[in-house]
Amino acid sequence: MIHKNAADKLIGRQTMVREDFIELLGYYNNPEIRELLREEALQLRKQYYGNRVFTRGLIEFTNYCKNNCYYCGIRGANPNSIRYRLSQEEILTCCQKGYRLGFRTFVLQGGEDPFYTDEKMTAIIQEIKQRYPDCALTLSIGEKSRKSYQLFREAGADRYLLRHETANDAHYRRLHPDNMSLKNRKRCLWDLKSLGYQVGAGMMVGSPGQSVQTLAEDLLFLQELKPQMVGLGPFIPHHDTCFAKEPAGSVDLTLYLLTLVRILLPEVLLPATTALGTLDPSGREKGLMAGANVIMPNLSPLKNRKQYELYDDKICTGEEAAECLSCLEKQVNAAGFSLVSERGDAWQWQSNIPPQATGH
Ligand code: 5AD
Ligand code: FES
């Protein structure tokens, strides 16, 4: 017992209200409580996942994007972004390389690129699942209709990453142009969940306009959605965006949020993100020590790595996947964990019987 209401409530798995989350975020300034919470997070992580760290092979297959999120380096209106798309063959080559390296999850991530119609995506998904039936396939290709999500699911996609970015409406509008809405973002996430995907939401830490209040709303939303995965990384300015002059998010606050999310959703799959490793050379190790249990090394072809530039100075753009992996392995071991070669499903999926889809 920490004898602070909100912290005890969180640890006791009671339902939290907005004020509880605000109080919890306030403990960021109390090193003692922060450390106690971190230990609790590590304990929970250990209970569900032991010392294992799951890996995901990230394939950034297109940097074309029809959207214009103000923070993002590959937003459609950035004329300086050099665009590329990978062919189906190139994507499959990445998977082959990844499989040999021990990856059993592939993440297809891209901008919202209309070139990849539902038909094209479905064909790619089916081909990957046919060649690698023992692997999980995660999509991260943005907002789509329920119908599209259903087609991808039926084609074999297992998981979907779509960060909500912020659960506060005014803050969402500060980060995105008028043609995007928090309402649609949430609709997507609920659709994905009801279709039986393992779903990942999440937010940047320190995005312009973020406050304790908006972060509390993020945590409230995560409590409500109960995603299987949460992507949490610091905001990092990109020189070709309107946020070029904004300060980057805080590594320590990101670590604290990883800790809170691990306690809030004990079984969650929580990556120590590349953005965290970009701001601090030992950021990913620190992430694991704060409650994270997933690492997502890059499997994209070297020739395109630098072009998938969401933010400035992104790390691991010059290394082959194999080099990245051995470097990561050292870091992971140094933090007392070990990389494993398995699908790494969310805990309640590990029986291989996914919960019944509740879709209509
Ligand atoms: N800094 C940090 N993260 C970013 N993302 C996009 N742009 C940035 C940035 N400038 C994150 C978003 C998106 C994910 C793919 O990358 O949260 O959902
Ligand atoms: Fe591509 Fe936002 S800029 S989805």
Side-chain angles (χ1 to χ4, degrees):
M1 281 283 155
I2 293 179
H3 299 301
K4 290 278 183 190
N5 286 337
D8 285 341
K9 249 178 121 171
L10 180 74
I11 292 172
R13 304 218 60 189
Q14 295 178 41
T15 303
M16 310 279 286
V17 297
R18 194 170 180 271
E19 287 64 36
D20 294 327
F21 284 123
I22 290 177
E23 187 180 326
L24 265 184
L25 289 162
Y27 302 151
Y28 176 63
N29 300 312
N30 183 328
E32 215 175 307
I33 298 184
R34 243 166 81 180
E35 182 55 20
L36 285 167
L37 288 171
R38 192 183 72 85
E39 282 162 17
E40 175 71 19
L42 275 186
Q43 161 60 32
L44 287 167
R45 172 213 195 291
K46 194 162 189 176
Q47 184 179 326
Y48 288 96
Y49 298 106
N51 278 338
R52 295 176 300 160
V53 173
F54 299 134
T55 58
R56 282 58 169 108
L58 184 64
I59 303 168
E60 297 156 335
F61 71 102
T62 172
N63 72 348
Y64 281 85
C65 192
K66 68 177 169 62
N67 287 339
N68 252 306
C69 309
Y70 299 142
Y71 45 82
C72 182
I74 64 164
R75 73 205 163 84
N78 178 5
N80 299 322
S81 165
I82 301 161
R83 306 287 168 173
Y84 73 91
R85 291 185 177 109
L86 302 188
S87 65
Q88 177 161 325
E89 270 326 296
E90 286 177 297
I91 294 173
L92 288 165
T93 304
C94 294
C95 294
Q96 185 186 51
K97 194 169 67 178
Y99 193 87
R100 289 188 182 138
L101 289 168
F103 290 99
R104 294 296 178 268
T105 290
F106 301 119
V107 181
L108 288 182
Q109 184 172 87
E112 292 195 14
D113 181 358
F115 173 84
Y116 294 91
T117 56
D118 287 356
E119 290 68 33
K120 286 202 183 87
M121 275 322 295
T122 307
I124 294 170
I125 295 164
Q126 280 169 342
E127 190 60 32
I128 295 178
K129 289 298 284 192
Q130 196 184 335
R131 290 197 193 184
Y132 304 100
D134 54 333
C135 293
L137 184 57
T138 307
L139 301 179
S140 178
I141 51 175
E143 298 179 10
K144 306 270 175 191
S145 66
R146 181 184 175 93
K147 187 78 203 142
S148 302
Y149 288 148
Q150 189 179 347
L151 289 172
F152 303 155
R153 179 86 183 107
E154 286 162 3
D158 303 281
R159 308 183 188 139
Y160 205 104
L161 302 175
L162 182 71
R163 291 188 180 176
H164 65 282
E165 313 296 358
T166 172
N168 175 283
D169 209 42
H171 188 211
Y172 195 92
R173 278 182 269 121
R174 167 104 198 259
L175 299 178
H176 302 95
D178 286 345
N179 63 346
M180 291 179 75
S181 73
L182 178 58
K183 187 158 173 264
N184 194 46
R185 199 73 163 187
K186 288 186 173 173
R187 189 272 305 160
C188 289
L189 286 162
W190 288 111
D191 276 347
L192 289 162
K193 239 195 146 190
S194 72
L195 289 164
Y197 283 92
Q198 295 176 47
V199 172
M203 63 278 187
M204 292 175 286
V205 177
S207 61
Q210 189 172 69
S211 64
V212 169
Q213 282 71 26
T214 65
L215 278 173
E217 288 174 45
D218 288 326
L219 293 170
L220 258 187
F221 177 64
L222 292 176
Q223 172 179 257
E224 186 195 0
L225 180 68
K226 297 188 179 45
Q228 284 74 28
M229 309 172 279
V230 173
L232 258 181
F235 161 75
I236 304 175
H238 182 284
H239 59 275
D240 279 326
T241 63
C242 26
F243 294 151
K245 295 268 181 307
E246 297 287 337
S250 146
V251 169
D252 283 339
L253 183 56
T254 305
L255 296 172
Y256 184 55
L257 281 157
L258 287 171
T259 289
L260 294 184
V261 170
R262 166 62 62 205
I263 307 175
L264 182 68
L265 306 167
E267 303 159 29
V268 77
L269 296 163
L270 200 55
T273 58
T274 307
L276 195 54
T278 296
L279 285 190
D280 179 338
S282 45
R284 285 181 296 189
E285 277 155 271
K286 290 181 183 168
L288 296 175
M289 305 279 286
N293 66 331
V294 171
I295 301 249
M296 299 174 66
N298 204 315
L299 279 180
S300 314
L302 258 189
K303 66 176 169 58
N304 303 115
R305 275 301 168 79
K306 281 201 187 356
Q307 293 164 311
Y308 200 83
E309 193 187 51
L310 304 182
Y311 47 80
D312 288 343
D313 303 321
K314 188 171 160 206
I315 53 168
C316 304
T317 56
E319 270 83 30
E320 274 296 350
E323 296 170 54
C324 254
L325 198 59
S326 67
C327 150
L328 265 173
E329 183 143 37
K330 283 193 197 104
Q331 295 183 1
V332 168
N333 294 344
F337 300 100
S338 55
L339 289 182
V340 293
S341 172
E342 41 185 285
R343 278 174 55 119
D345 287 296
W347 194 77
Q348 71 268 40
W349 255 265
Q350 291 192 356
S351 57
N352 287 329
I353 310 166
Q356 202 61 47
T358 54
H360 345 280

